[in-house]
């Protein structure tokens, strides 16, 4: 269900998953919010409170120091994927914010880690003709093969007759004051947790 209030700068996605079978089942969910221009541009930045950030592969590892910063359209750019363990408030709520270069335009997504405990940042700042885009992707796990995810405890189970709910709240921010307010909120969530930057990708064997 997608809903909004007339005149607001927010909308909500509410999703439900029900196991209508007789046996417990594994499931995986990822919500790939994809963003391009005019927010995405050279100097754009993603902000999110996190306990750790890890490159998905060796190629992404080379760019780990700039995981939150974006290039302009770059012909031949090879996608970079970063795996985050988000940090939340006392009720498991967290947020990610993508801003343009001068922080006058931004978009945000809010969700609950009890529903979606992981976050993937997909950076694909290729030429516009090839798809200049980034993904901010709350999920039940990371975008590895299910065998890898299962081994690492990131494939949840849903019991017979059980329903799980997932809510994501998206915002569009068009003034510096609101953007700075959200950045302050993120800084407050991060302040007591040092971000661990892992330079090597996780083992997948």
């Amino acid at each position: 269900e997608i809903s909004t209030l007339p005149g607001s700068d927010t909308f909500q996605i509410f999703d439900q998953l029900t196991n209508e079978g007789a046996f417990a089942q594994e499931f995986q969910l990822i919500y790939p919010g994809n963003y391009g221009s005019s927010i995405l541009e050279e100097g754009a930045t993603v902000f999110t409170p996190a306990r750790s950030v890890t490159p998905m592969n060796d190629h992404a590892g080379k760019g780990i120091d700039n995981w939150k910063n974006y290039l302009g359209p770059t012909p031949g750019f090879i996608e970079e994927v970063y795996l985050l363990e988000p940090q939340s408030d006392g009720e498991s709520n967290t947020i990610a914010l993508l801003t343009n270069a001068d922080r006058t335009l931004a978009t945000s997504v809010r969700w609950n880690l009890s529903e979606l405990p992981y976050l993937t940042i997909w950076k694909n700042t290729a030429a516009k003709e090839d798809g200049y885009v980034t993904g901010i992707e709350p999920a039940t796990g990371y975008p590895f093969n299910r065998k890898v995810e299962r081994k690492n405890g990131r494939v949840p189970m849903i019991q017979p007759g059980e329903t799980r709910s997932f809510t994501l709240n998206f915002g569009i921010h068009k003034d510096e004051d609101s953007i700075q307010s959200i950045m302050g909120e993120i800084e407050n969530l991060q302040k007591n947790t040092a971000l661990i930057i892992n330079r090597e990708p996780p083992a997948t064997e």
Side-chain angles (χ1 to χ4, degrees):
E1 178 181 282
I2 301 175
S3 61
T4 189
L5 293 174
S8 76
D9 291 329
T10 64
F11 67 93
Q12 181 182 93
I13 293 177
F14 177 71
D15 200 6
Q16 286 191 319
L17 173 69
T18 300
N19 180 0
E20 297 182 346
F23 301 96
Q25 297 287 343
E26 295 178 330
F27 72 96
Q28 294 175 283
L29 287 172
I30 188 166
Y31 291 90
N34 292 337
Y35 307 92
S37 58
S38 56
I39 292 176
L40 188 63
E41 61 184 0
E42 183 175 2
T45 308
V46 61
F47 298 91
T48 189
R51 289 177 285 144
S52 70
V53 57
T54 304
M56 188 171 183
N57 54 29
D58 289 332
H59 171 69
K62 297 174 183 176
I64 189 70
D65 289 330
N66 294 305
W67 69 269
K68 60 170 28 182
N69 303 314
Y70 290 90
L71 299 173
T74 306
F77 183 88
I78 300 172
E79 67 175 9
E80 297 172 357
V81 180
Y82 298 100
L83 315 172
L84 281 75
E85 293 181 286
Q87 175 68 27
S88 67
D89 65 12
E91 297 181 347
S92 296
N93 298 306
T94 194
I95 183 173
L97 176 75
L98 177 68
T99 74
N100 66 353
D102 61 8
R103 299 179 188 174
T104 57
L105 184 64
T107 184
S108 64
V109 56
R110 297 175 182 270
W111 74 100
N112 193 281
L113 296 187
S114 66
E115 301 170 356
L116 301 165
Y118 300 98
L119 176 64
T120 296
I121 302 292
W122 172 55
K123 296 171 68 177
N124 189 53
T125 51
K128 288 184 178 180
E129 295 84 354
D130 296 321
Y132 181 66
V133 65
T134 188
I136 299 174
E137 306 175 351
T140 57
Y142 296 131
F144 288 112
N145 180 281
R146 183 177 294 199
K147 180 179 179 181
V148 174
E149 291 299 281
R150 185 185 295 121
K151 181 179 178 181
N152 287 278
R154 294 190 295 262
V155 181
M157 300 288 292
I158 184 168
Q159 300 300 315
E162 182 183 5
T163 296
R164 298 278 190 95
S165 297
F166 308 89
T167 302
L168 300 103
N169 289 289
F170 295 86
I172 300 168
H173 313 285
K174 296 179 286 186
D175 65 88
E176 294 183 53
D177 288 345
S178 65
I179 294 169
Q180 289 297 324
S181 176
I182 296 172
M183 289 175 61
E185 180 183 347
I186 292 170
E187 289 174 5
N188 189 55
L189 290 174
Q190 186 73 67
K191 68 180 181 181
N192 294 321
T193 303
L195 175 64
I196 298 171
I197 297 178
N198 298 308
R199 297 188 175 276
E200 300 294 328
T204 55
E205 296 297 333

